[in-house]
């Protein structure tokens, strides 16, 4: 497996949040993530697939690890369960706490700009892509 040939796995935007998430991946604390289905649609990107390998990049754009997707689901935001929320490795102790943090991120100016919608908001029926992964290798 040539690291340079793998698609990139970018968590959040470069900066402190990405650094925290990447550190959690490297320690094994983070084994899941959640994205907005509309984000894939806006970027005209295919949904990730089970078995896909990706190179995790840090805020400087360096490839620091390889992960393999073990589960991918499209679900309503209201249907994200506690096991998934805990697997995100961000210290949340409830789905409500996890959701509040994600809503803050998804309602940020950066996400709204990326989606091309300055008024974007999520609700219970917003479709999200939940991914579970395993750490294959630290570079």
């Amino acid at each position: 497996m040539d690291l340079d040939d793998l698609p990139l796995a970018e968590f959040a935007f470069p900066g402190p949040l990405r650094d925290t998430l990447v550190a959690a991946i490297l320690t094994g604390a983070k084994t899941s993530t959640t994205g907005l289905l509309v984000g894939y649609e806006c970027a005209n990107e295919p949904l990730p697939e089970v078995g896909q390998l990706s190179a995790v990049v840090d805020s400087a754009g360096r490839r620091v690890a390889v992960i393999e997707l073990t589960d991918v689901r499209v679900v309503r935001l209201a249907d994200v369960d506690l096991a998934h929320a805990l697997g995100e490795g961000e210290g949340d102790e409830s789905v409500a706490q996890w959701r509040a943090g994600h809503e803050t991120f998804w309602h940020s100016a950066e996400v709204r700009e990326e989606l091309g919608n300055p008024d974007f908001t999520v609700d219970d029926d917003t479709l999200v892509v939940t991914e579970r992964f395993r750490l294959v290798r630290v570079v």
Side-chain angles (χ1 to χ4, degrees), residues 8-137:
L8 300 181
E10 298 177 279
F11 292 82
F13 296 102
L17 179 56
R18 177 176 289 177
D19 295 339
T20 298
L21 299 177
V22 169
I25 291 168
L26 297 178
T27 65
K30 181 171 181 63
T31 59
S32 67
T33 194
T34 310
L36 296 166
L37 180 61
V38 69
Y40 287 92
E41 294 168 347
C42 285
N44 200 25
E45 292 181 5
L47 291 180
E49 296 180 6
V50 170
Q52 179 178 324
L53 296 174
S54 300
V56 176
V57 294
D58 64 11
S59 288
R62 292 182 301 247
R63 296 166 189 255
V64 297
V66 176
I67 57 173
E68 178 185 13
L69 292 178
T70 60
D71 185 59
V72 178
R73 294 181 298 141
V74 175
V75 300
R76 293 172 55 243
L77 181 55
D79 296 332
V80 173
D81 61 25
L82 181 60
H84 181 80
L86 295 175
E88 292 235 7
E90 297 178 45
D92 297 319
E93 297 177 359
S94 68
V95 172
Q97 188 179 23
W98 168 87
R99 181 167 168 169
H102 279 68
E103 285 189 13
T104 297
F105 177 74
W106 290 329
H107 294 160
S108 70
E110 295 89 351
V111 170
R112 288 174 171 167
E113 181 179 335
E114 192 173 72
L115 296 176
N117 181 350
D119 301 316
F120 177 78
T121 59
V122 298
D123 61 28
D124 283 351
D125 292 323
T126 299
L127 294 177
V128 296
V129 181
T130 62
E131 302 173 45
R132 293 195 67 72
F133 55 84
R134 70 178 187 90
L135 180 62
V136 174
R137 181 175 84 168

